[in-house]
């Protein structure tokens, strides 16, 4: 499908480099430019990426009655509150949030009574994956599938290491997710259907946490570049730029100590 081209917007953006890990443009500035210049249908694809922040904010809202609003998200606490009120309305009203978020809100009281710290994250991760697979561009679907494959492999290795419940931690139902649920264990046999299985396995087993995380993001960067090799000025190119900006943003704020804390948090939350 022929995509719209945004020559002036792309030409005016600064170059991004994983090695430099420098925010040459802020997320706020970039997102404002995108909203101002993109066709509404193309901007909806940008909003798909930004839903990762909304997932975090929705959890905060449901658990605490408020949210630490992140500017890069699509919705704030007022929208979440409005959605809750619409669900309580006698007459049907149009939902403000994606369906998977609405379902979590509907069942919040049920989940709250039995949930551990990772239940909401798992539900939203499952919902987000299927939402992108249904509505995202082929590029965004490809990158999202890779991200989930890598996360599922890593969480399988970590849960096996700590003898935790593996099947409950794996997100999605694609071939790799099904394979990992079936085999599990500390010594996972490589799956030939996932091209990067051995590479990720090597990073996870032989490097420090911070260096392994760096290699994972370098691999993501490489895959984005390869997927967009013949693309320029298109909305997919801008989606790739946004994903790279998110990687850089992460590393600007990440240090070894916080990385180890994040690892412990991930293990406890499974």
């Amino acid at each position: 499908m022929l995509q719209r081209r945004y020559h002036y917007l792309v030409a005016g953006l600064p170059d991004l480099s994983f090695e430099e890990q420098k925010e040459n443009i802020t997320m706020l500035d970039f997102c404002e430019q995108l909203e101002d210049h993109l066709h509404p249908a193309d901007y909806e694809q940008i909003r798909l990426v930004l839903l990762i922040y909304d997932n975090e904010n929705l959890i905060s809202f449901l658990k605490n009655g408020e949210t630490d609003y992140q500017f890069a998200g699509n919705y704030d606490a007022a929208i979440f509150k409005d959605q809750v009120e619409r669900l309580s309305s006698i007459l049907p009203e149009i939902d403000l949030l994606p369906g998977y978020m609405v379902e979590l809100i509907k069942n919040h009281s049920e989940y709250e009574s039995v949930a551990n710290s990772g239940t909401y994250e798992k539900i939203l991760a499952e919902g987000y994956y299927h939402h992108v697979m249904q509505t995202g561009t082929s590029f965004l679907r490809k990158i999202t599938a890779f991200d989930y494959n890598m996360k599922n492999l890593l969480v399988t290795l970590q849960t096996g290491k700590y003898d935790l419940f593996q099947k409950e931690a794996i997100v999605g139902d694609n071939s790799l997710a099904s394979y990992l649920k079936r085999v599990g264990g500390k010594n996972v046999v490589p799956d030939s259907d996932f091209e990067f299985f051995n590479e990720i396995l090597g990073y996870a087993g032989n490097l420090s946490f911070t260096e392994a995380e760096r290699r994972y993001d370098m691999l993501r960067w490489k895959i984005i570049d390869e997927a967009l090799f013949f693309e320029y000025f298109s909305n997919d190119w801008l989606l790739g730029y946004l994903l790279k900006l998110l990687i850089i943003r992460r590393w600007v704020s990440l240090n070894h100590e916080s990385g180890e804390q994040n690892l412990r948090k991930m293990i406890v939350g499974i």
Side-chain angles (χ1 to χ4, degrees):
M1 181 179 178
L2 186 63
Q3 296 193 42
R4 282 171 282 269
R5 303 289 162 172
Y6 298 97
H7 298 84
Y8 293 110
L9 177 57
V10 171
L13 293 172
D15 292 336
L16 298 179
S17 168
F18 181 84
E19 295 301 329
E20 290 183 8
Q21 295 178 2
K22 180 180 178 181
E23 287 185 289
N24 294 318
I25 182 173
T26 67
M27 280 289 297
L28 179 59
D29 289 341
F30 183 53
C31 289
E32 286 179 348
Q33 289 188 47
L34 293 175
E35 188 169 12
D36 289 342
H37 292 91
L38 294 191
H39 185 280
D42 289 339
Y43 189 69
E44 281 301 311
Q45 295 296 311
I46 301 297
R47 286 169 60 86
L48 281 180
V49 175
L50 301 181
L51 281 173
I52 59 175
Y53 293 98
D54 295 311
N55 289 343
E56 296 175 7
N57 289 334
L58 179 57
I59 292 171
S60 177
F61 174 79
L62 292 175
K63 290 187 174 182
N64 307 315
E66 58 186 23
T67 176
D68 296 327
Y69 179 64
Q70 300 191 46
F71 68 84
N74 300 297
Y75 312 108
D76 58 16
I79 298 295
F80 294 146
K81 183 177 180 181
D82 194 357
Q83 179 65 69
V84 172
E85 292 173 350
R86 288 179 181 230
L87 291 174
S88 302
S89 176
I90 297 177
L91 297 176
E93 296 193 40
I94 297 175
D95 291 325
L96 302 173
L97 304 176
Y100 74 93
M101 289 185 173
V102 175
E103 286 302 310
L104 178 60
I105 294 173
K106 285 180 180 178
N107 298 296
H108 167 54
S109 58
E110 175 186 343
Y111 292 138
E112 190 176 33
S113 63
V114 298
N116 60 36
S117 59
T119 300
Y120 285 38
E121 289 85 349
K122 171 75 180 298
I123 292 169
L124 290 176
E126 293 267 9
Y128 177 77
Y129 175 81
H130 291 295
H131 187 57
V132 172
M133 291 299 109
Q134 293 171 1
T135 61
T137 66
S138 59
F139 164 73
L140 195 53
R141 293 197 303 271
K142 178 178 181 178
I143 300 302
T144 301
F146 168 78
D147 283 343
Y148 273 68
N149 282 338
M150 180 165 66
K151 290 174 183 176
N152 280 335
L153 176 55
L154 293 175
V155 79
T156 298
L157 295 174
Q158 290 296 338
T159 51
K161 179 179 179 181
Y162 291 93
D163 293 322
L164 299 175
F165 298 104
Q166 291 178 306
K167 292 183 179 179
E168 289 80 357
I170 297 170
V171 174
D173 54 6
N174 65 13
S175 61
L176 180 63
S178 300
Y179 170 75
L180 293 174
K181 289 177 183 178
R182 190 168 64 252
V183 297
K186 297 180 181 180
N187 300 311
V188 180
V189 178
D191 178 14
S192 59
D193 290 338
F194 183 37
E195 178 183 354
F196 306 99
F197 197 108
N198 286 328
E199 185 173 354
I200 293 170
L201 202 64
Y203 298 154
N206 300 307
L207 301 174
S208 68
F209 172 82
T210 302
E211 180 58 24
E213 287 290 310
R214 181 174 178 274
R215 296 294 184 92
Y216 304 147
D217 278 344
M218 288 177 66
L219 181 57
R220 292 186 71 232
W221 195 289
K222 174 186 173 183
I223 291 172
I224 291 170
D225 279 341
E226 290 179 348
L228 298 175
F229 186 78
F230 295 106
E231 289 284 346
Y232 209 67
F233 302 117
S234 69
N235 195 49
D236 276 345
W237 190 93
L238 290 167
L239 285 166
Y241 191 96
L242 174 60
L243 292 171
K244 288 180 178 180
L245 195 58
L246 290 174
I247 293 173
I248 291 176
R249 186 186 187 204
R250 175 173 180 251
W251 282 95
V252 166
S253 60
L254 186 68
N255 56 43
H256 180 76
E257 180 180 359
S258 65
E260 296 294 345
Q261 291 172 351
N262 287 338
L263 174 59
R264 289 194 293 270
K265 181 180 178 182
M266 181 187 75
I267 296 302
V268 170
I270 295 171

